[in-house]
Amino acid sequence: MTTPIKLYRNPKSGHCHRVELMLAFLGLAYETVDLDMANGAHKAPEYVKISPFGLVPAIEDGGYTLADSNAILIYLVQTYAKGSHWMPSDPKEAAEMQRWLTVAADNIYAGPCAARLVKVFGSGHDHGAAVAKAHDLFKVMETHLANRDWLAADMITISDVAGYSYIAHAPEGGVDLAPYPNVRAWLSRIEAQPNFVPMAKSPIPELA
């Protein structure tokens, strides 16, 4: 890799942070480009050429461009850490990894992500429904993590990276993590990984 990977982002987006976290964990050189989304920079024609749906994050790597956070995680590992623990080859572990990537795109998005979108960005999501979905998710995760350290395998994988950001920042959406010690311990294990980088923090409202 001769030039840094370019990461187009909003610094308070969990989708963007999961990509930055992966870049950091892999020790890859990268530079961030913060888009002025309030003024429509993510819908500008030049950016839509990179991210056709006008969403963040997106990356540019040696002329190759890719949008969608989970797809980017796969690309980074397959390109720069192929055969590593980040994407297990065991069929059952690989399937578990994919299952938790789906959870990140579905349950996490509809729960802690949506609740935070309301409180941090003023979105029109149903906050009460999002909080309820977040707690439903965390109850499942609490049981799942009772006798294991990681979501999909014996080692950290990209599914842990995909899940981290919105769950760690769930209190910013008004979702209380106090009832879930196993989930909080899992977050701490991720934060203890070499090269961990935090996401920008936002105020914490009343928790539910």
Side-chain angles (χ1 to χ4, degrees):
M1 188 171 63
T2 57
T3 58
I5 295 172
K6 193 174 291 185
L7 169 60
Y8 297 89
R9 68 169 192 172
N10 178 316
K12 289 194 173 184
S13 162
H15 285 78
C16 296
H17 181 253
R18 66 176 62 147
V19 172
E20 184 168 6
L21 204 52
M22 194 77 257
L23 287 163
F25 283 161
L26 294 177
L28 300 174
Y30 67 95
E31 60 183 44
T32 58
V33 179
D34 293 346
L35 297 182
D36 184 4
M37 298 179 71
N39 289 309
H42 57 307
K43 301 297 184 182
E46 59 270 25
Y47 181 69
V48 172
K49 290 179 183 178
I50 298 170
S51 178
F53 292 104
L55 299 173
V56 290
I59 61 166
E60 187 173 351
D61 182 20
Y64 175 66
T65 59
L66 179 65
D68 181 84
S69 60
N70 286 348
I72 294 170
L73 299 186
I74 292 170
Y75 166 78
L76 292 174
V77 172
Q78 292 286 64
T79 303
Y80 297 106
K82 192 174 179 66
S84 68
H85 63 87
W86 294 107
M87 290 186 65
S89 58
D90 175 82
K92 292 179 181 178
E93 291 182 344
E96 285 292 316
M97 180 196 70
Q98 180 57 58
R99 181 168 77 97
W100 285 101
L101 289 179
T102 301
V103 169
D106 185 356
N107 308 68
I108 291 176
Y109 177 79
C113 173
R116 185 172 172 273
L117 284 172
V118 174
K119 295 297 184 179
V120 176
F121 296 103
S123 77
H125 291 79
D126 183 331
H127 184 256
V131 170
K133 289 177 181 178
H135 283 298
D136 287 343
L137 166 66
F138 295 160
K139 289 172 185 175
V140 171
M141 292 184 67
E142 183 69 11
T143 300
H144 183 72
L145 291 165
N147 296 300
R148 57 187 301 141
D149 288 342
W150 307 107
L151 292 177
D154 291 337
M155 296 284 288
I156 188 172
T157 69
I158 62 172
S159 52
D160 298 289
V161 176
Y164 171 81
S165 305
Y166 286 117
I167 294 175
H169 289 255
E172 295 173 4
V175 183
D176 191 2
L177 289 174
Y180 310 108
N182 295 334
V183 173
R184 289 186 282 108
W186 167 75
L187 295 173
S188 295
R189 285 190 287 273
I190 295 172
E191 291 162 1
Q193 297 299 302
N195 301 326
F196 173 84
V197 290
M199 183 167 76
K201 293 182 178 181
S202 297
I204 296 177
E206 183 178 353
L207 299 178

